Amino acid sequence: MRISIRIDSAAGNAQLRRWGGEFRTKVQKAVERAMRTEAAEIKDDVRAHVAGQMSVVRKSFLKGFTAKVLAKDPKRLPALYVGSRIPWSAMHETGGQIAGRMLIPLHGRVGRKRFKAQVAELMRGGNAYFIKNAKGNIVLMAENIKEHDRPLSGFKRRYRKAEGVKRLKRGADIPIAVLVPKVVLKKRLNVERLVAGRIPRLSAAVEREISTVD
C-alpha cells in the first residue's frame, strides 16, 4: 500500500530553486526535521487505526505500516512516505475481489505456508478428500487417524472449540477447509483519510521550523 498526498509541491520546489545555496540547505533541513517529528506520530496513528479496524494476529502485519521521510535529493524538498511493506494490504483500504479457486481454512486462522504444508502432508498420506455439504459448499475433509495426529492437531483443536466438542473419536471426519471460487474483501481501512487529516498539523510544523531559519 502507498498513500500519496501532495501539498503544492511544485510551488515549493520552485521556491527552493530560487533560494541561495546555504539558505536552501537550511530550509531543506528544517522541513526534514518537521517531517520526521510528525512521521513518528503518523506511523503510530496509522498502526492504531489498523489494529482498531482489523483482528491482527501477527505483529509483523502492523509493523509493515510505516511513515518515513525521503530526503536524499538535494534538489527537492523532503517528502513524507506513508504506506505498508505488505503489497496486498491495499485491498483492505479499497476493498476488492480475489478471483481463482482457493482453499480457505475453517474454524480459525492458519499461516499460509504452514497450511499448505499440512494439506500436502495429508494428501500424500491419502487422508484428504472433498465432499459437498448440505449448503452446496465444497469442503476438504480428513479422517482422525493416529498416523496424521501431527498435521491434524491444530485443525482438531479449532474444530472442537468451534463445535463445543471435548473429544473426537478415532475415524471421525474433520472439516479442514472450504474451496471457494473467489474471495470478496470489504473496505476496512481508511489510512488515506487519516493521513489527510494530519496535513494541516504537518504544514504548521513545517512553517514553524522554516521560520527559525536565518
Side-chain angles (χ1 to χ4, degrees), residues 115-177:
F115 176 64
K116 183 178 180 180
Q118 289 170 332
V119 171
E121 185 173 347
L122 292 171
M123 287 188 168
R124 283 196 303 269
N127 190 22
Y129 47 93
F130 288 97
I131 66 167
K132 181 178 286 189
N133 65 14
K135 295 181 180 180
N137 298 320
I138 306 299
V139 180
L140 179 65
M141 308 288 291
E143 187 179 358
N144 182 23
I145 56 178
K146 186 176 181 179
E147 292 89 329
H148 288 133
D149 274 346
R150 186 172 61 83
L152 282 174
S153 61
F155 295 114
K156 290 194 294 184
R157 182 180 66 254
R158 289 186 292 272
Y159 177 62
R160 289 198 309 269
K161 183 178 180 180
E163 297 295 321
V165 178
K166 291 184 178 181
R167 185 181 179 87
L168 290 174
K169 295 180 179 180
R170 285 299 184 187
D173 294 325
I174 304 168
I176 301 297

